Amino acid sequence: MDMRKLVGRNVRKIRLRVGLTQERFAKRSGFSQQYISGIEKGRRNPTIVTIYEFAKALGVTHMDLVRPD
């Protein structure tokens, strides 16, 4: 299982569910839109701190971002 792709899919799915564009999510999370795009495409390797900050900005737990579909 490629964790980069799994986290990326979950971030994108939840971001869209809560109605955020990548740009608005970038402002809310403090990360750049380019970084978020790389995460969602499974090209970046997020740290546990990044996963925590993303989860906080999306209003979910960090476990929601690493849970297999």
Side-chain angles (χ1 to χ4, degrees), residues 6-65:
L6 174 64
V7 170
R9 277 194 313 266
N10 287 339
V11 168
R12 183 173 194 278
K13 177 177 64 175
I14 295 168
R15 176 181 61 77
L16 292 174
R17 186 173 66 211
V18 299
L20 292 173
T21 63
Q22 282 185 349
E23 196 172 272
R24 287 183 60 210
F25 180 51
K27 289 179 184 175
R28 185 182 283 193
S29 67
F31 293 91
S32 72
Q33 185 271 327
Q34 293 82 4
Y35 183 75
I36 291 168
S37 176
I39 292 287
E40 289 186 357
K41 291 176 182 176
R43 296 183 182 153
R44 306 284 313 228
N45 191 20
T47 67
I48 190 67
V49 173
T50 301
I51 291 171
Y52 172 80
E53 293 296 332
F54 277 7
K56 193 166 96 174
L58 291 168
V60 297
T61 71
H62 63 285
M63 292 302 296
D64 292 323
L65 300 183

